[in-house]
Amino acid sequence: MERRENANETKFAQNNEKQIRSKKSRLNRATAGDYVIAALLIVFTVLAFYPVWFTLIGSFNNGTDYLKGGVYLVPRVFTWANYNVIVSDERIWHGLLITVLRCLTGPAMLVGFTAFVAYGMSRKELKGKKVFNIINLITMFFGGGMIPLYLLCKMLGLLNTFWIYVLPGMYNVYDMILMRAFFNGLPEDLHEAAVIDGASEFKIFFTIVAPCSKPILATVLMWALIGHWNDYLTTEIYAPLNKNLNVLQYVLQKIINGSASAIPSGVPAVVKKSVSAKTVSLAAMMFGSLPMFAMFPFFQRFFTKGIYVGSLKG
C-alpha cells in the first residue's frame, strides 16, 4: 500500500510539473497580439524621437543648402557653423547664466518649502489639518488668474527682479499631496523612536524622513528643474524691462520666432555664408534642450518609485 501511495504521489508531482512547464511555455511564447503591440510601440517611439532627430540634423546642415529642402534623415552638407554662431552670441551665455542661477535656487526652495508643509500635513497630531487640506484643494482647482497675480507681484515689488523667478513658485499643492502620501507610507515606529530619544520635528525630518524619501524628493526636484529651465513667459510678462534678467529660453524664443536677430553682428562673414536664420534657430533649440537630455538619466531611476509610491500610499 505504501509503495502504491508513493507511486501515486510521484505521478501526481510529475503531472503538476508538466502542467507548470506547459503553462510557462505558453506564457513565454509570443503571440500575434504581442507582435502587434511591439510594432505599435516601435511606431510610437519613432514618432516621438523623429522631431528631435529632425531638429538635430538641421542644426548640423549648411544654412543655404537647408533652405532648398529635402533634409530629412542625415545632414546633406555638414557644418558646425550654426553652433559657432550660438556659442559666440553673448545673449545666449548671459541668458544661460540667469537660467542656471534660477535653476539652482527655485527648485531647491520649492522642494524644501513644499516638503516642510507636506511633512506637517502628514502628521496626525496637526491641529486644523482638515481645514488646511480644504484650503489647499481649493487653491489647486481655482485660481485668481494672471491679472490678480500680476497686481500682487507688483504690490510686493517682485516685478523686474530676480525673485519673480523664485518666490511665486515656492509651493505647489500637487507636489505637496504626493510628498504627504509618501511620508504617510513611512513606518510610524521610526517617528516614535526618534521622539522617545528626544529628537525635535526638524531633526526627525532631516535625519529620518528626508533620507528615506529620496525618490519622491528627486522626482519633484526634476519636475521643478524642467519647469524653471523651459519657462520664458515669466520673463516676458513679469520682467520685460530688465534685460539683465533675460533667461536662456526667452532669448531662444526671440531668436526662433524672429523677434531678435538669429545671427549677431560680430559673426565673421565666412561663418555667415554657411548659416541661415532657420538653421541657427534649430541649433538654438538643441542647445537649450541639451542640459535636460543630459540630466534626465540621473533622475530616471527615481521616477517610477517616487510617482508610484507617492500616488498610492495615503
Side-chain angles (χ1 to χ4, degrees), residues 17-56:
E17 187 176 353
K18 289 181 180 179
Q19 290 177 0
I20 293 172
R21 289 179 180 177
S22 177
K23 289 180 180 179
K24 286 183 177 180
S25 63
R26 286 198 301 269
L27 290 173
N28 294 331
R29 191 184 308 144
T31 62
D34 294 330
Y35 289 113
V36 172
I37 293 174
L40 290 175
L41 290 176
I42 292 173
V43 172
F44 291 149
T45 302
V46 172
L47 291 177
F49 176 74
Y50 181 72
V52 179
W53 178 253
F54 181 78
T55 305
L56 180 64

Side-chain angles (χ1 to χ4, degrees), residues 61-112:
N61 201 88
N62 180 279
T64 305
D65 178 78
Y66 185 84
L67 296 177
K68 298 177 183 178
V71 181
Y72 300 115
L73 295 177
V74 294
R76 190 163 50 208
V77 181
F78 185 87
T79 181
W80 289 94
N82 299 301
Y83 287 96
N84 290 337
V85 172
I86 293 297
V87 298
S88 63
D89 194 337
E90 293 182 359
R91 300 170 300 174
I92 298 291
W93 291 109
H94 182 77
L96 179 61
L97 174 62
I98 300 299
T99 300
V100 169
L101 293 176
R102 175 181 179 178
C103 290
L104 289 175
T105 54
M109 294 178 70
L110 182 146
V111 172

Side-chain angles (χ1 to χ4, degrees), residues 3 9 43 45 64 87 93 143 149 182-183 208 228 239 265 290:
R3 292 180 179 178
E9 289 178 359
V43 172
T45 302
T64 305
V87 298
W93 291 109
L149 178 60
F182 196 100
F183 296 159
I208 298 176
H228 279 274
S265 57
L290 184 60

Side-chain angles (χ1 to χ4, degrees), residues 52 222 225-226 229 286-300 303:
V52 179
M222 186 61 185
L225 280 172
I226 293 174
W229 183 270
M286 293 306 304
F287 184 83
S289 304
L290 184 60
M292 290 296 103
F293 286 139
M295 191 179 302
F296 184 80
F298 296 99
F299 287 85
Q300 186 181 13
F303 278 180

Side-chain angles (χ1 to χ4, degrees), residues 8 14 57 68 73 82 91-92 103 159 163 167 175 188-189 200 202-203 211 221 226 248 254 256 260 263 285 292 301:
N8 291 333
Q14 290 176 350
I57 62 175
K68 298 177 183 178
L73 295 177
N82 299 301
R91 300 170 300 174
I92 298 291
C103 290
L159 297 183
W163 295 109
L167 295 182
D175 294 338
E188 184 64 20
D189 296 341
S200 64
F202 280 101
K203 188 173 182 179
L221 179 64
I226 293 174
L248 176 63
K254 292 298 181 182
I256 292 169
I263 305 174
M285 294 180 193
M292 290 296 103
R301 63 193 182 96

Side-chain angles (χ1 to χ4, degrees), residues 222-262:
M222 186 61 185
W223 285 346
L225 280 172
I226 293 174
H228 279 274
W229 183 270
N230 291 330
D231 177 45
Y232 67 89
L233 282 177
T234 301
T235 305
E236 190 166 16
I237 298 173
Y238 301 102
L241 302 180
N242 192 345
K243 293 184 178 181
N244 292 326
L245 293 178
N246 288 353
V247 295
L248 176 63
Q249 299 300 334
Y250 178 78
V251 176
L252 298 181
Q253 188 261 350
K254 292 298 181 182
I255 292 175
I256 292 169
N257 66 15
S259 300
S261 176

